[in-house]
Amino acid sequence: MTFTLESSKEKRFIAFTSVMAAVFLTAFKLIIGFMTGSLGILSEALHSGLDLVAAVITFFAVKFSDQPADEGHNYGHGKIENYSALVETLLLVITCVWIIYEAARRLIYHDVEIEVNVWSFIVVITSIIIDFSRSRALYKVAKKHDSQALEADAFIFQPIFGVRRLFCWD
């Protein structure tokens, strides 16, 4: 596929909007998580923080992957998208390990009071709506421009496993 300035701008724009959504969701979940004491919301905040890191990595990956071939990269810089997808996967593994550790620690050693209020529901519903729309937008642009980094981001941000199969047809 030939990369044009227009396709490069579209890829960077969708990656940037993903970064902004991750910043908002991370802050929102942290505030509500500490307010309620909910491990579920705090773990979601951590997950959103790692989503933010993944979104930033993707942003830079799509920015640099469209650079033309040079002396050090005879076939271009496209493989950077593959590396960014690998890093994003490792970040998810780290998140899972922390959540398991914290859940076990709370079950065994601590009695934790959780205050469920309307904000608990608002943060979860807001997160689902934003992640769903972000996932669809990322997947659409990923398929249009054959971007593995954007496709990996789209998969990561699906609020419900299999959303792509249900709502984003090839």
Side-chain angles (χ1 to χ4, degrees), residues 33 37-40 42 98 100-114:
S38 168
L39 176 60
L42 287 173
W98 178 82
I100 291 168
Y101 166 78
E102 184 63 22
R105 187 181 69 81
R106 284 185 177 205
L107 283 172
I108 296 168
Y109 300 112
H110 296 290
D111 199 19
V112 178
E113 292 291 322
I114 297 174

Side-chain angles (χ1 to χ4, degrees), residues 46-113:
L46 178 63
H47 182 213
S48 291
L50 289 174
D51 285 350
L52 171 60
V53 172
V56 169
I57 290 169
T58 299
F59 175 77
F60 286 108
V62 297
K63 180 179 178 180
F64 293 118
S65 70
D66 287 345
Q67 292 180 352
D70 58 25
E71 192 175 296
H73 303 90
N74 296 333
Y75 298 103
H77 297 83
K79 289 293 181 191
I80 195 168
E81 289 195 20
N82 299 78
Y83 295 124
S84 75
L86 173 65
V87 170
E88 290 173 34
T89 302
L90 294 174
L91 289 174
L92 286 175
V93 170
I94 291 167
T95 304
C96 290
V97 169
W98 178 82
I99 292 169
I100 291 168
Y101 166 78
E102 184 63 22
R105 187 181 69 81
R106 284 185 177 205
L107 283 172
I108 296 168
Y109 300 112
H110 296 290
D111 199 19
V112 178
E113 292 291 322

